[in-house]
Amino acid sequence: MQTARPATSPIPAAGPAPAVPVVPRERLAAARVLVVGDVMLDRYWFGDVNRISPEAPVPVVHVQRQEDRLGGAANVARNAAALGAQAGLLCVVGRDEPGERIVELLQVSGVAPHLERDPALSTTIKLRVLSRQQQLLRMDFENMPTHEALLAGLARFDALLASQDVVLLSDYAKGGLTHVTQMIEKARAAGKPVLVDPKGDDWERYRGATLITPNRAELREVVGQWKSEEDLLARVTALRTSLALEGLLLTRSEEGMTLFTADGELHVPAVAREVYDVSGAGDTVIATLAVMLGARLSLVDAIVLANRAAGIVVGKLGTATVDYEELFAPAG
Ligand SMILES: Nc1ncnc2c1ncn2[C@@H]1O[C@H](COP(=O)(O)OP(=O)(O)OP(=O)(O)O)[C@@H](O)[C@H]1O
Ligand SMILES: [Mg+2]
């Protein structure tokens, strides 16, 4: 998706590429990141189609293989763990098979689970049916967590907060972040940076966050379509000020990313060499930012590294994480 930009106002030239800082492994290992949000399971069923159903004009898929991946906030937490940080995940899941599968996958990924079990909830799962690399159907199972489960989650948030360096709120609009405003207030009162990956058009609920990381479509939904880079700056500044956000990082797919703070703008161009799979790049960005801020890097250094991590992850098929070696390997 390309946004039209008038020739008179290009994205600010980035100048010489900012130097990529090297962070010792131990520093990342000391960073404690709490991810809170909506988890989901991405499930893929693969099989062959040899006939059309006698019941309805639809293909019959003979399912031969299943693959499961962590999605939503769980994918974010997995990205933080892959970099070597101490990542925990606070969320609500159901008492069902997809919920169990999420627990297993979190364990494999090295993420500490802080799961609230809600017997009335169907754990969010997106089930795709594929044949010969073609997606034939996607089925989504989801509903809202109960009030009780969400309140229990909030109490657990209180208990976990003191032992964290950064709080990361990953909103996929499934209800897991019903109490997001209170979580931000509590975390800020405790002096912890709060990063938010937003969803929807009501950002009042993210008031007071340290940094919010929308993509272009998400930002457009809230501030409208900007006509130029100057117009974008004006719209973002008004939003940032009115919601008391320290920073806004606009991720711009192939155009890289732009940071807006009271100090001004910083644009970092995309660094991908080859692009195979862009889904989940936003998760890698916010997870890397959280890990780097948890390791006490400056916001600018954290963004340079997050941009580099995104450039690596879009070049991968399948695995959607970047590890320490990949991120800090000398370019070449
Ligand atoms: N086509 C691309 N070419 C180069 N870099 C890309 C491309 N798409 C994404 N990136 C990198 O990934 C970052 C995040 O991508 P994007 O802005 O698409 O986030 P997103 O829409 O939140 O992603 P998602 O929601 O699918 O995880 C970009 O800022 C850029 O660094
Ligand atoms: Mg995103």
Side-chain angles (χ1 to χ4, degrees), residues 32-79:
R32 298 163 302 177
V33 179
L34 180 64
V35 178
V36 188
D38 298 304
V39 277
M40 47 194 99
L41 188 65
D42 286 309
R43 176 163 286 174
Y44 303 83
W45 280 353
F46 300 92
D48 292 331
V49 173
N50 293 314
R51 62 194 179 105
I52 299 296
S53 169
E55 299 159 20
V58 294
V60 175
V61 181
H62 178 203
V63 176
Q64 276 135 341
R65 191 163 62 85
Q66 169 175 308
E67 248 183 66
D68 288 329
R69 290 209 202 115
L70 292 173
N75 185 48
V76 176
R78 179 171 89 106
N79 267 273

Short mmCIF file of all heavy atoms in Angstrom, two decimals, residues 32-79:
data_model
loop_
_atom_site.label_atom_id
_atom_site.label_comp_id
_atom_site.label_asym_id
_atom_site.label_seq_id
_atom_site.Cartn_x
_atom_site.Cartn_y
_atom_site.Cartn_z
N ARG A 32 13.79 -6.56 31.63
CA ARG A 32 12.54 -7.26 31.96
C ARG A 32 11.37 -6.55 31.30
O ARG A 32 11.08 -5.39 31.61
CB ARG A 32 12.37 -7.30 33.48
CG ARG A 32 13.49 -8.04 34.20
CD ARG A 32 13.53 -7.73 35.67
NE ARG A 32 13.69 -6.28 35.92
CZ ARG A 32 13.70 -5.73 37.14
NH1 ARG A 32 13.56 -6.49 38.20
NH2 ARG A 32 13.84 -4.42 37.28
N VAL A 33 10.73 -7.26 30.39
CA VAL A 33 9.65 -6.67 29.60
C VAL A 33 8.35 -7.40 29.91
O VAL A 33 8.27 -8.63 29.78
CB VAL A 33 9.94 -6.83 28.08
CG1 VAL A 33 8.80 -6.26 27.25
CG2 VAL A 33 11.28 -6.17 27.72
N LEU A 34 7.33 -6.66 30.31
CA LEU A 34 6.01 -7.26 30.52
C LEU A 34 5.11 -6.88 29.35
O LEU A 34 4.82 -5.70 29.14
CB LEU A 34 5.39 -6.79 31.84
CG LEU A 34 3.99 -7.37 32.12
CD1 LEU A 34 4.04 -8.89 32.28
CD2 LEU A 34 3.37 -6.73 33.36
N VAL A 35 4.68 -7.88 28.60
CA VAL A 35 3.75 -7.65 27.49
C VAL A 35 2.34 -7.96 28.00
O VAL A 35 2.13 -9.00 28.63
CB VAL A 35 4.08 -8.57 26.29
CG1 VAL A 35 3.09 -8.36 25.15
CG2 VAL A 35 5.52 -8.32 25.81
N VAL A 36 1.43 -7.04 27.75
CA VAL A 36 0.03 -7.25 28.15
C VAL A 36 -0.82 -7.02 26.91
O VAL A 36 -0.56 -6.09 26.14
CB VAL A 36 -0.41 -6.23 29.23
CG1 VAL A 36 -1.80 -6.58 29.76
CG2 VAL A 36 0.60 -6.16 30.37
N GLY A 37 -1.81 -7.88 26.69
CA GLY A 37 -2.67 -7.62 25.54
C GLY A 37 -3.48 -8.81 25.10
O GLY A 37 -3.79 -9.70 25.90
N ASP A 38 -3.83 -8.78 23.83
CA ASP A 38 -4.67 -9.83 23.26
C ASP A 38 -3.79 -10.89 22.61
O ASP A 38 -3.01 -10.59 21.71
CB ASP A 38 -5.58 -9.23 22.17
CG ASP A 38 -6.52 -8.18 22.74
OD1 ASP A 38 -7.27 -8.51 23.67
OD2 ASP A 38 -6.50 -7.02 22.27
N VAL A 39 -3.94 -12.14 23.08
CA VAL A 39 -3.18 -13.22 22.46
C VAL A 39 -4.06 -13.95 21.46
O VAL A 39 -5.28 -13.99 21.60
CB VAL A 39 -2.73 -14.32 23.44
CG1 VAL A 39 -1.50 -13.96 24.14
CG2 VAL A 39 -3.83 -14.77 24.34
N MET A 40 -3.42 -14.55 20.50
CA MET A 40 -4.17 -15.41 19.60
C MET A 40 -3.27 -16.52 19.08
O MET A 40 -2.04 -16.44 19.17
CB MET A 40 -4.77 -14.61 18.45
CG MET A 40 -3.85 -13.66 17.78
SD MET A 40 -4.80 -12.52 16.76
CE MET A 40 -4.89 -11.09 17.79
N LEU A 41 -3.93 -17.54 18.60
CA LEU A 41 -3.21 -18.65 18.00
C LEU A 41 -3.48 -18.61 16.51
O LEU A 41 -4.63 -18.53 16.08
CB LEU A 41 -3.71 -19.96 18.60
CG LEU A 41 -2.92 -21.20 18.21
CD1 LEU A 41 -1.48 -21.14 18.75
CD2 LEU A 41 -3.60 -22.47 18.75
N ASP A 42 -2.41 -18.61 15.72
CA ASP A 42 -2.53 -18.70 14.27
C ASP A 42 -2.34 -20.16 13.90
O ASP A 42 -1.26 -20.73 14.11
CB ASP A 42 -1.45 -17.85 13.58
CG ASP A 42 -1.75 -16.36 13.69
OD1 ASP A 42 -2.87 -15.96 13.35
OD2 ASP A 42 -0.85 -15.60 14.13
N ARG A 43 -3.39 -20.76 13.37
CA ARG A 43 -3.34 -22.20 13.03
C ARG A 43 -3.50 -22.38 11.53
O ARG A 43 -4.31 -21.67 10.91
CB ARG A 43 -4.42 -22.94 13.81
CG ARG A 43 -4.53 -24.40 13.48
CD ARG A 43 -5.32 -25.16 14.53
NE ARG A 43 -4.53 -25.34 15.75
CZ ARG A 43 -5.00 -25.87 16.88
NH1 ARG A 43 -6.26 -26.24 16.96
NH2 ARG A 43 -4.22 -26.01 17.94
N TYR A 44 -2.73 -23.28 10.99
CA TYR A 44 -2.76 -23.54 9.54
C TYR A 44 -3.03 -25.03 9.32
O TYR A 44 -2.32 -25.86 9.89
CB TYR A 44 -1.42 -23.16 8.90
CG TYR A 44 -1.04 -21.71 9.15
CD1 TYR A 44 -0.42 -21.33 10.34
CD2 TYR A 44 -1.32 -20.73 8.21
CE1 TYR A 44 -0.09 -20.00 10.59
CE2 TYR A 44 -0.99 -19.40 8.44
CZ TYR A 44 -0.38 -19.05 9.64
OH TYR A 44 -0.06 -17.73 9.89
N TRP A 45 -4.02 -25.35 8.51
CA TRP A 45 -4.28 -26.73 8.12
C TRP A 45 -3.94 -26.86 6.65
O TRP A 45 -4.46 -26.09 5.81
CB TRP A 45 -5.76 -27.09 8.32
CG TRP A 45 -6.11 -27.41 9.74
CD1 TRP A 45 -5.26 -27.55 10.80
CD2 TRP A 45 -7.43 -27.63 10.26
NE1 TRP A 45 -5.96 -27.85 11.94
CE2 TRP A 45 -7.29 -27.91 11.64
CE3 TRP A 45 -8.70 -27.63 9.70
CZ2 TRP A 45 -8.39 -28.17 12.46
CZ3 TRP A 45 -9.79 -27.90 10.53
CH2 TRP A 45 -9.63 -28.17 11.89
N PHE A 46 -3.09 -27.81 6.36
CA PHE A 46 -2.66 -28.03 4.97
C PHE A 46 -3.20 -29.36 4.46
O PHE A 46 -3.19 -30.35 5.20
CB PHE A 46 -1.13 -28.09 4.89
CG PHE A 46 -0.45 -26.84 5.36
CD1 PHE A 46 -0.05 -26.72 6.70
CD2 PHE A 46 -0.20 -25.79 4.49
CE1 PHE A 46 0.60 -25.57 7.14
CE2 PHE A 46 0.45 -24.64 4.93
CZ PHE A 46 0.83 -24.53 6.26
N GLY A 47 -3.66 -29.38 3.22
CA GLY A 47 -4.13 -30.65 2.66
C GLY A 47 -4.37 -30.55 1.17
O GLY A 47 -4.20 -29.48 0.57
N ASP A 48 -4.78 -31.67 0.59
CA ASP A 48 -5.03 -31.71 -0.86
C ASP A 48 -6.53 -31.63 -1.14
O ASP A 48 -7.33 -32.09 -0.34
CB ASP A 48 -4.51 -33.03 -1.45
CG ASP A 48 -3.00 -33.08 -1.40
OD1 ASP A 48 -2.38 -31.99 -1.45
OD2 ASP A 48 -2.45 -34.18 -1.26
N VAL A 49 -6.84 -31.06 -2.29
CA VAL A 49 -8.22 -31.04 -2.74
C VAL A 49 -8.31 -31.95 -3.97
O VAL A 49 -7.60 -31.75 -4.94
CB VAL A 49 -8.65 -29.62 -3.16
CG1 VAL A 49 -10.05 -29.66 -3.78
CG2 VAL A 49 -8.63 -28.68 -1.96
N ASN A 50 -9.16 -32.98 -3.89
CA ASN A 50 -9.31 -33.88 -5.04
C ASN A 50 -10.74 -33.92 -5.57
O ASN A 50 -11.00 -34.52 -6.60
CB ASN A 50 -8.88 -35.30 -4.67
CG ASN A 50 -7.38 -35.34 -4.42
OD1 ASN A 50 -6.60 -34.78 -5.19
ND2 ASN A 50 -6.97 -35.93 -3.31
N ARG A 51 -11.66 -33.31 -4.82
CA ARG A 51 -13.04 -33.38 -5.30
C ARG A 51 -13.85 -32.22 -4.74
O ARG A 51 -13.43 -31.53 -3.80
CB ARG A 51 -13.69 -34.71 -4.93
CG ARG A 51 -13.78 -34.94 -3.44
CD ARG A 51 -14.10 -36.40 -3.13
NE ARG A 51 -14.16 -36.59 -1.69
CZ ARG A 51 -15.30 -36.73 -1.01
NH1 ARG A 51 -16.46 -36.71 -1.64
NH2 ARG A 51 -15.29 -36.89 0.30
N ILE A 52 -15.01 -32.07 -5.32
CA ILE A 52 -15.97 -31.07 -4.86
C ILE A 52 -16.99 -31.81 -3.98
O ILE A 52 -17.36 -32.94 -4.28
CB ILE A 52 -16.68 -30.42 -6.09
CG1 ILE A 52 -15.66 -29.71 -6.98
CG2 ILE A 52 -17.79 -29.47 -5.66
CD1 ILE A 52 -14.94 -28.53 -6.33
N SER A 53 -17.39 -31.16 -2.94
CA SER A 53 -18.33 -31.79 -2.01
C SER A 53 -19.68 -32.07 -2.67
O SER A 53 -20.18 -31.25 -3.42
CB SER A 53 -18.54 -30.86 -0.81
OG SER A 53 -19.62 -31.35 -0.04
N PRO A 54 -20.25 -33.24 -2.38
CA PRO A 54 -21.61 -33.53 -2.88
C PRO A 54 -22.67 -32.71 -2.15
O PRO A 54 -23.82 -32.64 -2.60
CB PRO A 54 -21.78 -35.02 -2.58
CG PRO A 54 -20.80 -35.34 -1.52
CD PRO A 54 -19.68 -34.35 -1.61
N GLU A 55 -22.29 -32.08 -1.04
CA GLU A 55 -23.29 -31.37 -0.22
C GLU A 55 -23.49 -29.93 -0.64
O GLU A 55 -24.54 -29.35 -0.45
CB GLU A 55 -22.83 -31.38 1.25
CG GLU A 55 -22.71 -32.77 1.82
CD GLU A 55 -21.79 -32.79 3.04
OE1 GLU A 55 -21.56 -31.74 3.66
OE2 GLU A 55 -21.29 -33.88 3.36
N ALA A 56 -22.41 -29.33 -1.16
CA ALA A 56 -22.45 -27.92 -1.55
C ALA A 56 -21.30 -27.70 -2.52
O ALA A 56 -20.34 -28.48 -2.51
CB ALA A 56 -22.29 -27.05 -0.31
N PRO A 57 -21.38 -26.67 -3.35
CA PRO A 57 -20.30 -26.47 -4.34
C PRO A 57 -19.02 -25.92 -3.71
O PRO A 57 -18.64 -24.77 -3.95
CB PRO A 57 -20.92 -25.49 -5.34
CG PRO A 57 -21.95 -24.76 -4.55
CD PRO A 57 -22.44 -25.68 -3.48
N VAL A 58 -18.41 -26.72 -2.87
CA VAL A 58 -17.17 -26.30 -2.19
C VAL A 58 -16.15 -27.43 -2.29
O VAL A 58 -16.52 -28.60 -2.37
CB VAL A 58 -17.43 -25.97 -0.70
CG1 VAL A 58 -18.32 -24.75 -0.56
CG2 VAL A 58 -18.04 -27.16 0.04
N PRO A 59 -14.84 -27.08 -2.28
CA PRO A 59 -13.84 -28.13 -2.34
C PRO A 59 -13.78 -28.92 -1.03
O PRO A 59 -14.05 -28.37 0.04
CB PRO A 59 -12.53 -27.35 -2.55
CG PRO A 59 -12.81 -25.96 -2.11
CD PRO A 59 -14.28 -25.73 -2.27
N VAL A 60 -13.43 -30.18 -1.12
CA VAL A 60 -13.21 -30.99 0.07
C VAL A 60 -11.69 -31.07 0.28
O VAL A 60 -10.97 -31.50 -0.61
CB VAL A 60 -13.79 -32.41 -0.11
CG1 VAL A 60 -13.43 -33.29 1.09
CG2 VAL A 60 -15.30 -32.33 -0.30
N VAL A 61 -11.24 -30.62 1.43
CA VAL A 61 -9.80 -30.65 1.73
C VAL A 61 -9.51 -31.85 2.62
O VAL A 61 -10.14 -32.01 3.67
CB VAL A 61 -9.37 -29.36 2.46
CG1 VAL A 61 -7.87 -29.38 2.73
CG2 VAL A 61 -9.76 -28.13 1.67
N HIS A 62 -8.60 -32.67 2.20
CA HIS A 62 -8.14 -33.77 3.05
C HIS A 62 -6.95 -33.24 3.86
O HIS A 62 -5.84 -33.11 3.34
CB HIS A 62 -7.75 -34.96 2.17
CG HIS A 62 -7.23 -36.10 2.98
ND1 HIS A 62 -6.42 -37.08 2.48
CD2 HIS A 62 -7.42 -36.42 4.28
CE1 HIS A 62 -6.11 -37.93 3.43
NE2 HIS A 62 -6.71 -37.55 4.53
N VAL A 63 -7.19 -32.91 5.11
CA VAL A 63 -6.18 -32.24 5.94
C VAL A 63 -5.09 -33.24 6.34
O VAL A 63 -5.37 -34.31 6.85
CB VAL A 63 -6.83 -31.60 7.18
CG1 VAL A 63 -5.76 -30.99 8.09
CG2 VAL A 63 -7.85 -30.56 6.77
N GLN A 64 -3.83 -32.87 6.04
CA GLN A 64 -2.72 -33.78 6.34
C GLN A 64 -1.73 -33.23 7.36
O GLN A 64 -0.94 -33.97 7.92
CB GLN A 64 -1.96 -34.12 5.04
CG GLN A 64 -2.62 -35.26 4.31
CD GLN A 64 -2.74 -35.01 2.82
OE1 GLN A 64 -2.66 -33.86 2.37
NE2 GLN A 64 -2.95 -36.06 2.07
N ARG A 65 -1.77 -31.92 7.56
CA ARG A 65 -0.74 -31.34 8.43
C ARG A 65 -1.29 -30.09 9.11
O ARG A 65 -2.08 -29.36 8.51
CB ARG A 65 0.46 -30.95 7.56
CG ARG A 65 1.72 -30.59 8.31
CD ARG A 65 2.93 -30.64 7.35
NE ARG A 65 2.83 -29.70 6.24
CZ ARG A 65 3.21 -28.42 6.31
NH1 ARG A 65 3.70 -27.93 7.42
NH2 ARG A 65 3.10 -27.64 5.25
N GLN A 66 -0.87 -29.87 10.36
CA GLN A 66 -1.29 -28.68 11.09
C GLN A 66 -0.06 -27.93 11.59
O GLN A 66 0.91 -28.55 12.04
CB GLN A 66 -2.15 -29.08 12.29
CG GLN A 66 -2.43 -27.95 13.26
CD GLN A 66 -3.40 -28.35 14.36
OE1 GLN A 66 -4.49 -28.85 14.09
NE2 GLN A 66 -3.01 -28.14 15.60
N GLU A 67 -0.09 -26.62 11.49
CA GLU A 67 0.99 -25.80 12.05
C GLU A 67 0.38 -24.72 12.91
O GLU A 67 -0.62 -24.12 12.53
CB GLU A 67 1.76 -25.13 10.91
CG GLU A 67 3.18 -25.66 10.76
CD GLU A 67 3.92 -24.92 9.67
OE1 GLU A 67 4.20 -23.71 9.82
OE2 GLU A 67 4.20 -25.57 8.65
N ASP A 68 0.98 -24.47 14.09
CA ASP A 68 0.48 -23.46 15.00
C ASP A 68 1.54 -22.41 15.25
O ASP A 68 2.71 -22.76 15.44
CB ASP A 68 0.13 -24.09 16.35
CG ASP A 68 -1.11 -24.96 16.28
OD1 ASP A 68 -2.01 -24.66 15.47
OD2 ASP A 68 -1.18 -25.94 17.05
N ARG A 69 1.15 -21.16 15.31
CA ARG A 69 2.09 -20.08 15.68
C ARG A 69 1.43 -19.15 16.67
O ARG A 69 0.23 -18.92 16.62
CB ARG A 69 2.48 -19.26 14.46
CG ARG A 69 3.33 -20.05 13.54
CD ARG A 69 4.28 -19.21 12.73
NE ARG A 69 4.62 -20.02 11.57
CZ ARG A 69 4.29 -19.71 10.34
NH1 ARG A 69 3.68 -18.57 10.08
NH2 ARG A 69 4.60 -20.52 9.36
N LEU A 70 2.27 -18.58 17.53
CA LEU A 70 1.77 -17.57 18.46
C LEU A 70 1.45 -16.30 17.70
O LEU A 70 2.23 -15.86 16.86
CB LEU A 70 2.83 -17.27 19.53
CG LEU A 70 3.14 -18.40 20.50
CD1 LEU A 70 4.32 -18.02 21.39
CD2 LEU A 70 1.91 -18.74 21.35
N GLY A 71 0.31 -15.70 18.01
CA GLY A 71 -0.06 -14.46 17.34
C GLY A 71 -0.39 -13.36 18.34
O GLY A 71 -0.48 -13.59 19.55
N GLY A 72 -0.56 -12.16 17.83
CA GLY A 72 -0.92 -11.00 18.66
C GLY A 72 0.14 -10.75 19.72
O GLY A 72 1.35 -10.82 19.45
N ALA A 73 -0.31 -10.46 20.94
CA ALA A 73 0.62 -10.12 22.03
C ALA A 73 1.61 -11.24 22.29
O ALA A 73 2.75 -11.00 22.72
CB ALA A 73 -0.17 -9.79 23.29
N ALA A 74 1.22 -12.49 22.02
CA ALA A 74 2.13 -13.61 22.24
C ALA A 74 3.29 -13.57 21.25
O ALA A 74 4.42 -13.93 21.59
CB ALA A 74 1.37 -14.94 22.13
N ASN A 75 3.01 -13.13 20.04
CA ASN A 75 4.10 -13.00 19.06
C ASN A 75 5.05 -11.87 19.46
O ASN A 75 6.26 -11.96 19.27
CB ASN A 75 3.53 -12.75 17.66
CG ASN A 75 4.63 -12.74 16.61
OD1 ASN A 75 5.48 -13.62 16.57
ND2 ASN A 75 4.65 -11.69 15.80
N VAL A 76 4.50 -10.82 20.05
CA VAL A 76 5.33 -9.71 20.52
C VAL A 76 6.26 -10.20 21.64
O VAL A 76 7.48 -9.96 21.62
CB VAL A 76 4.45 -8.54 21.02
CG1 VAL A 76 5.31 -7.43 21.59
CG2 VAL A 76 3.57 -8.00 19.89
N ALA A 77 5.68 -10.93 22.59
CA ALA A 77 6.48 -11.44 23.72
C ALA A 77 7.57 -12.40 23.21
O ALA A 77 8.71 -12.37 23.68
CB ALA A 77 5.57 -12.14 24.72
N ARG A 78 7.21 -13.21 22.25
CA ARG A 78 8.17 -14.15 21.67
C ARG A 78 9.33 -13.40 21.01
O ARG A 78 10.48 -13.83 21.07
CB ARG A 78 7.41 -14.98 20.63
CG ARG A 78 8.19 -15.99 19.89
CD ARG A 78 7.23 -16.85 19.09
NE ARG A 78 6.98 -16.30 17.78
CZ ARG A 78 7.48 -16.79 16.65
NH1 ARG A 78 8.27 -17.85 16.70
NH2 ARG A 78 7.19 -16.25 15.50
N ASN A 79 9.03 -12.28 20.39
CA ASN A 79 10.09 -11.47 19.78
C ASN A 79 11.03 -10.89 20.83
O ASN A 79 12.24 -10.82 20.62
CB ASN A 79 9.48 -10.34 18.94
CG ASN A 79 9.31 -10.72 17.47
OD1 ASN A 79 10.23 -10.55 16.69
ND2 ASN A 79 8.16 -11.26 17.13
#
